[in-house]
Amino acid sequence: MQFALALPRFFLSPSSSFFASSASSSISLFRRPFSAKCATSPAAMAYEHELSIATKAVSLACRLCQKVQKGLLAAETQEKSDKSPVTVADYGSQALISWALNEELPQGTFSLVAEEDSEELKQDQGASMLDRITQLVNETLALEKRIDAPFLSKEQVLLAIDRGRSEGGSVGRHWVLDPIDGTRGFVRGDQYAVALGLLDQGEVVVGVLGCPNLPTNLIGPEALVSPTESSIGCLFAARKGAGTTVKSIDGSIQPQKISVRNLEDPSLANFCESYESAHSMQNVTAEIAKILGVVSPPLRIDSQAKYGAMARGDAAIYLRFPHPGYREKIWDHAAGCIIIKDSPKSKKF
């Protein structure tokens, strides 16, 4: 099944051409299909609390992921049935976010559609990995320096991971999580994102992207400094009708409003695409760029970090042409959708 989202400038899929930012499109949910629309209408204080707890939860998960990536061991990575890798950080990130949201939301209201489940961890061969995940989760919670900082047992960690098995749907509220989007980039020591979104009646109303390795300064053609001169780690946040902000994960840079690039001439644009050629047909994107007259080289980034980069103007076009048979999941795009849609256009170029 193909996936297409209308984005502020241009987003192409195999079944689409350029299309306007006001459109909405259908996303394939892994467990139950439903229409997910990015919100654009004005709202005053709507979803402010949800954005606040989402931001805190993603920040917590980013802290764990940063620690793991610095010293990732081969024993801390498994391979799923679809041959994609999963690490202790994927599980730990999901456990932390699930636990944090469940703690903050009214009892019985929390629904989470997430990528991972604990089946492999419950097997004998997963015992050591579960021990490591539990250790990392508790070490991260301890860093919160709360007097009542909890200590989660292995059983509680498994329960938190498996809260992500919600069926979702177009009725009610459902959180959507990719605990580490771009696991291959994570394992490689490159870009990845912790991506959390909230759907209300099938509409994306809150999105948070934690991008621990993304420089806080622009990395596209408008960049004023090189990435090596910039601090590292961005947290993008958006809620329905309130615009998109970015701040540094470490808190050294406070939230700032951002905007997408507003180009009238496609030849002046640059585009981003998947880093891995296995994720997108880069030969096709090269041909599209040639037809448009784009001369800038592609900005290749793993994960939904691409959405954050586009939302602040690093690139103006996102080209994605999955190989035949690839199936997009809702957690691959939900958070990034609103990060882009709620980022207003900058002045024209």
Side-chain angles (χ1 to χ4, degrees):
M1 181 172 185
Q2 301 300 341
F3 169 89
L5 269 181
L7 298 178
R9 285 311 302 161
F10 306 121
F11 179 101
L12 284 83
S13 79
S15 60
S16 69
S17 56
F18 294 123
F19 51 112
S21 62
S22 61
S24 64
S25 182
S26 176
I27 298 177
S28 171
L29 178 61
F30 182 65
R31 300 185 180 91
R32 181 186 300 168
F34 66 98
S35 176
K37 303 162 288 183
C38 292
T40 55
S41 58
M45 306 302 288
Y47 307 107
E48 187 173 33
H49 173 65
E50 289 81 359
L51 181 61
S52 176
I53 62 175
T55 300
K56 292 176 182 177
V58 170
S59 297
L60 201 62
C62 285
R63 185 177 296 173
L64 181 148
C65 293
Q66 287 173 308
K67 179 175 182 177
V68 173
Q69 194 184 44
K70 287 179 180 178
L72 187 66
L73 304 175
E76 297 179 334
T77 303
Q78 290 181 340
E79 191 175 78
K80 294 191 286 189
S81 59
D82 64 358
K83 302 302 181 182
S84 62
V86 59
T87 68
V88 293
D90 291 81
Y91 290 121
S93 172
Q94 183 160 316
L96 278 173
I97 290 175
S98 172
W99 175 85
L101 293 178
N102 190 59
E103 287 288 300
E104 293 286 346
L105 294 168
Q107 187 173 3
T109 66
F110 181 42
S111 171
L112 176 66
V113 180
E115 183 172 13
E116 309 303 341
D117 63 60
S118 70
E119 289 307 309
E120 293 291 332
L121 300 176
K122 294 175 182 177
Q123 307 303 317
D124 290 342
Q125 62 268 29
S128 60
M129 181 174 270
L130 176 58
D131 288 339
R132 177 60 173 152
I133 294 163
T134 304
Q135 177 190 7
L136 287 164
V137 166
N138 285 309
E139 287 175 354
T140 305
L141 290 173
L143 290 174
E144 290 295 284
K145 299 180 180 178
R146 285 171 37 186
I147 296 176
D148 61 341
F151 181 88
L152 302 187
S153 66
K154 288 185 287 187
E155 291 72 24
Q156 288 173 312
V157 168
L158 292 172
L159 176 61
I161 292 171
D162 284 338
R163 285 198 189 99
R165 289 182 167 186
S166 170
E167 289 294 319
S170 58
V171 177
R173 289 188 176 188
H174 307 282
W175 294 87
V176 179
L177 171 66
D178 194 332
I180 294 185
D181 185 37
T183 304
R184 292 189 187 279
F186 177 83
V187 172
R188 198 172 58 243
D190 212 333
Q191 298 298 331
Y192 66 98
V194 179
L196 178 64
L198 173 63
L199 275 69
D200 192 349
Q201 308 304 320
E203 182 179 48
V204 186
V205 294
V206 167
V208 178
L209 284 180
C211 306
N213 288 343
L214 192 67
T216 54
N217 287 104
L218 295 180
I219 56 176
E222 303 299 312
L224 298 178
V225 298
S226 69
T228 56
E229 298 171 328
S230 168
S231 60
I232 302 295
C234 297
L235 192 71
F236 298 89
R239 63 182 173 89
K240 181 179 178 179
T244 300
T245 64
V246 63
K247 67 176 183 177
S248 61
I249 288 179
D250 63 11
S252 61
I253 300 175
Q254 295 304 302
Q256 301 173 358
K257 290 280 189 179
I258 55 176
S259 59
V260 299
R261 297 183 71 198
N262 187 10
L263 295 174
E264 294 297 316
D265 183 356
S267 68
L268 299 178
N270 65 314
F271 69 95
C272 62
E273 63 179 352
S274 298
Y275 181 91
E276 299 260 354
S277 59
H279 293 165
S280 181
M281 293 185 284
Q282 294 178 351
N283 60 321
V284 175
T285 61
E287 285 299 314
I288 294 290
K290 183 178 179 180
I291 292 170
L292 293 175
V294 174
V295 294
S296 296
L299 182 61
R300 290 176 176 161
I301 308 177
D302 293 292
S303 81
Q304 287 179 71
K306 290 186 286 292
Y307 284 107
M310 283 190 65
R312 68 180 185 184
D314 287 343
I317 304 172
Y318 176 14
L319 297 173
R320 183 177 177 88
F321 290 81
H323 293 275
Y326 181 82
R327 187 182 183 189
E328 301 280 8
K329 310 298 193 307
I330 192 169
W331 48 71
D332 293 325
H333 301 281
C337 166
I338 193 170
I339 295 295
I340 284 281
K341 290 286 287 186
D342 258 42
S343 182
K345 294 178 182 178
S346 62
K347 65 180 181 179
K348 291 183 179 181
F349 289 89

